[in-house]
Amino acid sequence: KVASELGVKARPVEEAAADADIVLVAVPIPQTPEVVKATAKMARKGALVADVASVKSDVVKAMHKIRADVELVSIHPLFGPGASKIKGKDFVVVPVKPGKCYVELKKLLVRLGARVTEMDAEEHDRVMAIIQCTTHFVLLAYLHAIKSMKESKRIKELRTPMFARLMAVAKSILAGDPELYGELQTHNKYAKVARSGAST
């Protein structure tokens, strides 16, 4: 049904992976390492196998154990699925076993106006503990605190410019995936440290 709506062909994973130049794994964070390992075995020789998980330590550790003759990189697009263009958008890449396919993909992303930053998995997770985990935690805690106050019904009538802007930003997080927010907090080992305000 989805393939029909998008005007593309749906194929079993085994067939698609064996025939693709680039295989992109997009599954929940906890399943990513095992799916990447399984997919690498199905991929054709020289193909690029990548994931788009928001936490990198476990999947990159799994990639280092893969012996298949494929390229391996871990990619994190720092924007949601609603984006229609990548111009001006950020991609973080952890190159594990890059090759020609990855070089061409990186060139394409840059040509389309994206910013590509390479780093290792540990640095990625430390930085994302601030950029994602702490940001989500603060905004959700802010909304929860306001909702719990008995005066919260009157805030529609009164507002300062700063309060209005902060509320708009905080409410925007409600459009996201709550399961992903939870996975980020529990699977990024630096999230707890970042929430406590200590150095990561």
Side-chain angles (χ1 to χ4, degrees):
K1 181 182 176 183
V2 173
S4 177
E5 291 172 357
L6 296 176
V8 297
K9 186 177 180 181
R11 298 170 64 186
V13 173
E14 295 82 0
E15 290 180 20
D19 194 40
D21 294 322
I22 299 175
V23 181
L24 198 60
V25 174
V27 298
I29 293 170
Q31 281 80 54
T32 302
E34 290 306 315
V35 174
V36 166
K37 285 193 288 187
T39 306
K41 293 176 183 176
M42 303 174 200
R44 67 170 182 77
K45 183 178 178 180
L48 169 61
V49 177
D51 74 282
V52 291
S54 302
V55 180
K56 295 303 183 192
S57 296
D58 289 344
V59 68
V60 167
K61 192 181 296 180
M63 283 182 173
H64 280 294
K65 295 177 182 177
I66 292 172
R67 295 292 168 252
D69 190 7
V70 295
E71 294 181 30
L72 296 162
V73 300
S74 193
I75 302 172
H76 186 185
L78 300 188
F79 52 93
S84 58
K85 297 178 182 177
I86 63 170
K87 185 176 182 179
K89 301 290 193 301
D90 284 294
F91 288 80
V92 177
V93 179
V94 180
V96 177
K97 194 169 79 173
K100 292 179 181 178
C101 279
Y102 169 62
V103 170
E104 290 304 311
L105 175 62
K106 183 179 177 181
K107 284 180 182 176
L108 175 62
L109 293 175
V110 172
R111 192 162 62 245
L112 292 173
R115 293 181 294 266
V116 179
T117 302
E118 296 179 347
M119 60 179 65
D120 66 35
E122 291 297 314
E123 183 180 16
H124 169 276
D125 288 356
R126 287 196 304 271
V127 172
M128 289 307 132
I130 300 166
I131 291 176
Q132 289 187 302
C133 302
T134 305
T135 301
H136 296 163
F137 178 77
V138 167
L139 294 176
L140 289 169
Y142 179 72
L143 289 173
H144 178 73
I146 289 174
K147 187 178 179 183
S148 69
M149 298 176 188
K150 63 180 181 180
E151 295 84 1
S152 63
K153 293 179 181 178
R154 302 303 299 270
I155 64 174
K156 294 179 181 177
E157 304 168 26
L158 306 167
R159 60 190 61 215
T160 63
M162 181 64 73
F163 175 77
R165 286 194 293 270
L166 186 54
M167 278 298 287
V169 171
K171 284 182 177 179
S172 69
I173 200 170
L174 299 178
D177 181 355
E179 286 188 25
L180 175 59
Y181 297 153
E183 289 175 0
L184 289 170
Q185 299 294 336
T186 56
H187 290 278
N188 186 327
K189 62 186 177 184
Y190 299 105
K192 185 176 181 180
V193 179
R195 289 194 306 267
S196 72
S199 172
T200 60

